[in-house]
Amino acid sequence: MRLVPAEPPPASQDLRREVRDFLAGEDFTPRCDGWLTGFDPAFSRKLGERGWLGMTVPSRFGGHGRSLLERFAVIEELLAAGAPVAAHWIADRQMAPALVAHGSPAQRRRFLPAIARGECFFAIGMSEPDSGSDLASVRTKARRVRDGWSLTGTKVWSSGAHRAHVILVLARTAPPGPDRRAGLSQFLVTLPDPAVTIRPILGLAGEHHFNEVTFDEAFVPDGMLLGEPGAGWRQVTAELAHERSGPERMLSTFPLVQALAAQTAVADAGTGTAAAGTAARRALGGLLSRLWTLRQASLAVAGALERGDDAGAQAALVKDLGTRFEREVADVVRAHVPAEPDPDSPDPLARTLAEAVVQAPGFTLRGGTTEILRGIVARELGVR
């Protein structure tokens, strides 16, 4: 397994300046995990107006024809600022590439321009109750009916489904055989739908981001099958390379890192507490050096996807290392700064620490658990 170094093109520096100028004029509170919890449709539409959504979608499909590495520069700036990007995140990150790769002409015309405008939001229906991370154990069934399919089953952990316009569902269209990955297909289900029930799965602090989504013989027209019948596993695993390798897998807690840096700067000026001293600065340096290394790995995967290479194992490695880093940021801060997590505190460090603590349990779960990711890497290395 190789990670070939890659760098954003020179033009991306102009993009970075444009994004920073835009963000400086926006009124939002930076927050940890803003790509999951910062739902702001108006903000998403502003990004769409500036051409920062659907960037890699070819212009003939309503996008902007930019490179993955240019998109990397834009989303890195948004994530580092803790911007509210959750509304469009799934649509822009993985649905747009999936529709470009597998969508029918009608699906591309219907969804891609709307995604690029920041007006069409997606949720994902992959995980199921009692299945853990065993995606191949999908029990949701799609039964052939006249002019379409009848969908029955339950999905869990579907982020933002209660606000999404469409949910992409992985369902079994053929009975399971010796190869459980065969006979799976993907369906685009528009929401709301009277045959689809969405119930909240509340987080530790009572916040509502995740959902249980139940399909009770929901009718899906033939035109909403994504790609080929039975090709669902191949299509899903291709999407996961986009889902697992991006900078969001290491920058979810970056606003907390920035708050720690501000705290240590105060200490350097002689006005801070003793705890924000040498040990805190060393800890901050350690975090930043690890973050820089992770960034190079994430860029390498973006470069591989840009070239059309299969980067599934590399993406799994990036997510495993990146999400463990995100969790450790909160631990490092708590070890070196005497701040108590407080979501309502005016102190950015106490507030972002609270956000990081609440969201941290999900970092290594969503998009594939640590065990699944390490299995993929081990298989690639030939030790499994």
Side-chain angles (χ1 to χ4, degrees):
M1 181 169 60
R2 296 184 62 203
L3 285 167
V4 179
E7 285 292 336
S12 67
Q13 294 304 317
D14 292 335
L15 270 173
R16 288 186 185 278
R17 282 191 287 272
E18 291 175 25
V19 176
R20 289 175 184 175
D21 289 345
F22 164 76
L23 291 171
E26 290 297 305
D27 183 20
F28 64 87
T29 301
R31 59 180 303 142
C32 289
D33 221 20
W35 64 276
L36 177 71
T37 64
F39 195 94
D40 187 339
F43 187 86
S44 295
R45 284 194 292 273
K46 289 182 181 179
L47 297 182
E49 291 169 359
R50 284 160 177 78
W52 296 336
L53 300 182
M55 289 183 67
T56 61
V57 175
S59 55
R60 67 181 184 280
F61 297 148
H64 303 285
R66 308 294 287 263
S67 70
L68 276 169
L69 292 171
E70 288 175 303
R71 179 179 180 272
F72 188 102
V74 170
I75 63 173
E76 191 175 44
E77 292 297 329
L78 294 170
L79 293 166
V85 295
H88 66 266
W89 194 259
I90 292 173
D92 183 59
R93 178 183 64 184
Q94 65 201 88
M95 283 314 307
L99 286 162
V100 169
H102 310 298
S104 67
Q107 290 168 357
R108 290 168 177 163
R109 285 194 300 270
R110 179 174 180 178
F111 295 117
L112 288 174
I115 290 174
R117 292 193 302 268
E119 296 175 353
C120 185
F121 308 140
F122 277 75
I124 299 292
M126 289 190 193
S127 300
E128 299 195 355
D130 304 319
S131 293
S133 293
D134 185 8
L135 189 59
S137 67
V138 163
R139 288 170 293 175
T140 296
K141 296 179 181 177
R143 178 173 54 87
R144 203 74 172 93
V145 296
R146 183 177 179 180
D147 298 329
W149 303 79
S150 177
L151 204 60
T152 299
T154 300
K155 299 292 183 179
V156 291
W157 309 118
S158 296
S159 307
H162 56 305
R163 292 161 159 166
H165 302 105
V166 189
I167 182 169
L168 178 65
V169 180
L170 181 67
R172 190 164 291 286
T173 48
D179 182 359
R180 297 183 304 145
R181 299 171 296 182
L184 298 171
S185 304
Q186 289 182 296
F187 297 90
L188 297 158
V189 181
T190 56
L191 299 173
D193 184 304
V196 179
T197 302
I198 301 175
R199 301 184 181 90
I201 300 175
L202 300 181
L204 291 174
E207 74 279 11
H208 180 193
H209 308 298
F210 297 114
N211 297 278
E212 176 190 83
V213 185
T214 300
F215 303 86
D216 184 9
E217 296 188 354
F219 175 72
V220 184
D222 279 330
M224 297 296 266
L225 170 72
L226 180 65
E228 304 171 11
W233 183 265
R234 173 172 53 81
Q235 294 173 192
V236 164
T237 51
E239 292 166 25
L240 288 173
H242 291 272
E243 179 180 352
R244 289 172 171 164
S245 62
E248 71 269 29
R249 297 304 184 183
M250 61 202 70
L251 290 176
S252 296
T253 49
F254 192 71
L256 178 57
V257 175
Q258 290 180 306
L260 176 62
Q263 183 88 358
T264 58
V266 170
D268 286 342
T271 58
T273 63
T278 302
R281 288 194 295 276
R282 286 177 176 170
L284 175 63
L287 290 176
L288 293 176
S289 63
R290 288 178 62 192
L291 182 57
W292 185 256
T293 303
L294 289 166
R295 178 180 186 267
Q296 300 311 303
S298 181
L299 272 169
V301 176
L305 294 173
E306 182 80 19
R307 295 189 299 273
D309 296 346
D310 179 2
Q314 291 87 339
L317 178 64
V318 169
K319 181 184 179 297
D320 181 25
L321 297 174
T323 53
R324 281 192 288 147
F325 166 81
E326 291 178 324
R327 292 185 65 160
E328 291 172 23
V329 167
D331 296 335
V332 169
V333 170
R334 298 187 78 172
H336 294 281
V337 179
E340 287 297 321
D342 182 354
D344 300 318
S345 174
D347 176 7
L349 192 140
R351 180 178 51 76
T352 53
L353 178 58
E355 294 166 354
V357 169
V358 167
Q359 298 301 326
F363 291 163
T364 56
L365 296 177
R366 57 198 186 195
T369 64
T370 297
E371 291 75 15
I372 292 293
L373 300 174
R374 292 179 182 177
I376 294 171
V377 173
R379 190 180 302 115
E380 178 71 13
L381 295 174
V383 295
R384 180 188 180 198

